[in-house]
Amino acid sequence: MADNFLLAQELISGIQRPCRGGNVVLKLDMAKAYDRVSWPFLMQVLRRFGFGERWIDMIWRLVSNVWFSVIINGSPKGFFKSTRGLRQGDPISPALFVVGAEVLSRSLNALLGLRAFVPFKVPRGCPPITHLAYADDVIIFCSGLKASLQVILRTLDAYCSISGQQVNYHKSCFLVDRKLPLARKRAIARVTGFQERSFPIKYLGCPLYVGRAKLYFFSELCNLVSRRVLSWSGRLLSSGGKLVLIKSVLSSIPIHIMAASMVPKGVVCQLEQIFSSFLWGNSDFGPRFHWIKWAALTKPVEEGGAGLRSLQSIFDAFSLKLWWSFRCNTSLWASFMHAKYLSDRLPCQADVVRGQSGIWRRLVGVKSLADSHVRWVLGNGAVDFWHENWMGSGPLCDKVEIFGTHSVANFVDQGRWNIPMLRHWLPPAIVSSILGISPPVSQRPDEMVWDLTESGVFSIASAYQLVRQPAIRSAFSAAIWHALLPSKVSFFMLRLVAARLPVLETLRRFAVHGPSRCSCCEAPAEESLDHIFCNGDLPKRVWNSFTSGVGGRSCVSTVRHALAVWWLHPTSNPCLRLIFQFLPCLVCWHLWRARNLRVFEGKGISSHLIHLRVVGELRDILSSRFPCLAGHRLSWEELIGLASRCRRASTVRWVKWRTSPIPLPK
């Protein structure tokens, strides 16, 4: 799917090339494509493809044994049988439709053998492209000559007459270069019956355009994300729920476009601004203050972030994937790009000149980074000796001043390295390194591998870790994120550890001043994070209520010290280890709720009630992993005693077999 769009974008970037009649792009729209498929036509196509009669009979029974009824005023009326079409939603329907559409594809490819057909102008050496098709999305590339257009229309009419399909002339359109004469545009419209459209247009969910990528080309993407956010505005979502929605829903919307199209950085910034505003919410007076930068939230939880993904890093990772696909050269798009931009050069010698497409600039922009992690496993030694990383330490052309045009096999003589030839071209240190490598003696081709994965196969996960900027690992942040702990509690603890909670001590840094008095203590005291969660009267009573059963706690003066004391408490029991990890998070969470309840509603909560709530939540959280704790109303001492006798929780590990990229010796 991405290859189709990439090839279409590359062809359209050269639509201004001189050609008889001008270059024309026909975008077809099939009316009710699935519902119009002729069953006898489909069976005949399957028969011509070589499918057995038993299989064809099964497909016939599957597609023809369909009855329908119409619901009128809430009740079914009538019962009738269909005579054509494929059921949408059936898993086999897309495959059957593609089999039938192959007739149109082969008919359009056969036009290259006709003298009346003049193809779309492509650079010298590139394969001619007549059309691109993905299911019912068809784009035809041709010239604007009357004879060429008439041949295409006859082909379409013949296909529609036998397959049952019908071209929707109202939604179909043609696109040409904006400098094409008006007379030629009118002639094309008269012959085809299509309406003229201007770029950009949408193809396979991505905008097709000529020239540089503009921000307004991707306005539909930004509007889609904004509408999705507005649909959640009426729901009472916690910060943890918003994090889940951003990770699973919002971040996945632009993935398809980023995988193929050249997305401007302004679009990425706009999308991340929408994500951030949704996370922090709005007040009656406008957007709320963003307490933590988005760049900090996109770090992994081990590095002090919230585990969100940076869209710019995702875009760069997909750029590396495109370069990998280009180097593998296993698709029509890759072959076209090789012929257009490389000619007789190697991919590692690629460069950018003025006037080349944005996709090519995207590829060359990541070439150095990608090639530094691409190496070759020698087989027959056909790989380039000087420019490719077959040694694992980089190309040899970067280590010597004079080099030639050789393959690795040229330096092998009778199954051994040609030492005199190596010494003639290379210094002694490099020759010694080469002699430590087994010479290529196999008949299998050389294999390109990605050295960031164990299997040698490229993966987006490894590319993302490569392009992002790693930070220092944070022990505090790693301790507050756990699958059993609610996300809202983890996010709150992230703000607490980073000192990003709206207390008066923090607000002073933003020029917000007010009476700094703690409302939870009888004696007047200044409100600060350490006072609210550690040194105040209420937090002291709460923390002291949990000292029994686990030994005395040392005197602490800061909240970070209090957290570290619990998290670093030595124990080998898995249940107790989780208790010591979750307890300080839940205590701080309920202390913060108690503070807000007192400040905004004037209600107070006793330390005993907070103690009971923390113990109850601990029991409920741990019972999913340790069933022995479920169904009991336990006190703190009983919970500790029962947890100390819990056996190690059983874990299920999924194992996936991965084949080695290097064939094992027989």
Side-chain angles (χ1 to χ4, degrees), residues 61-62 112 119 131 156 196-197 200 310 382 407 427 482 500 522 525:
R61 295 175 183 273
L62 179 65
L112 294 173
H131 72 288
L156 291 176
E196 181 187 2
R197 291 275 304 275
S310 170
S407 66
H482 196 276
R500 293 295 189 271
E522 297 180 358

Side-chain angles (χ1 to χ4, degrees), residues 311-476:
L311 293 184
Q312 186 61 48
S313 299
I314 293 176
F315 177 79
D316 296 337
F318 276 112
S319 300
L320 293 175
K321 182 182 179 180
L322 291 180
W323 178 257
W324 175 265
S325 301
F326 170 74
R327 295 227 44 185
C328 292
N329 197 13
T330 56
S331 63
L332 179 60
W333 166 76
S335 301
F336 188 91
M337 299 292 284
H338 272 263
K340 181 177 180 180
Y341 294 108
L342 293 184
S343 184
D344 56 346
R345 297 183 300 167
L346 296 172
C348 54
Q349 298 174 317
D351 55 0
V352 178
V353 297
R354 186 176 181 182
Q356 293 178 335
S357 67
I359 298 297
W360 179 248
R361 292 196 301 271
R362 179 181 181 182
L363 291 176
V364 178
V366 299
K367 174 179 71 70
S368 301
L369 179 61
D371 283 346
S372 63
H373 297 278
V374 172
R375 66 179 181 90
W376 289 85
V377 178
L378 297 180
N380 55 12
V383 66
D384 190 270
F385 181 84
W386 300 101
H387 296 89
E388 298 291 359
N389 182 22
W390 60 272
M391 293 182 60
S393 58
L396 291 174
C397 61
D398 297 336
K399 303 177 181 180
V400 297
E401 296 181 358
I402 301 175
F403 52 87
T405 55
H406 304 89
S407 66
V408 178
N410 296 144
F411 290 83
V412 179
D413 185 16
Q414 296 181 357
R416 298 181 178 181
W417 290 110
N418 191 335
I419 298 178
M421 188 175 179
L422 290 174
R423 291 175 177 175
H424 174 73
W425 287 95
L426 299 169
I430 299 179
V431 173
S432 301
S433 301
I434 294 177
L435 295 179
I437 303 174
S438 301
V441 295
S442 177
Q443 297 299 320
R444 60 181 177 84
D446 303 320
E447 186 175 5
M448 186 176 63
V449 297
W450 182 252
D451 64 2
L452 296 180
T453 58
E454 296 181 358
S455 62
V457 180
F458 181 90
S459 68
I460 289 292
S462 63
Y464 182 84
Q465 296 299 326
L466 177 62
V467 299
R468 77 174 188 88
Q469 298 180 355
I472 301 175
R473 300 178 69 89
S474 174
F476 279 88

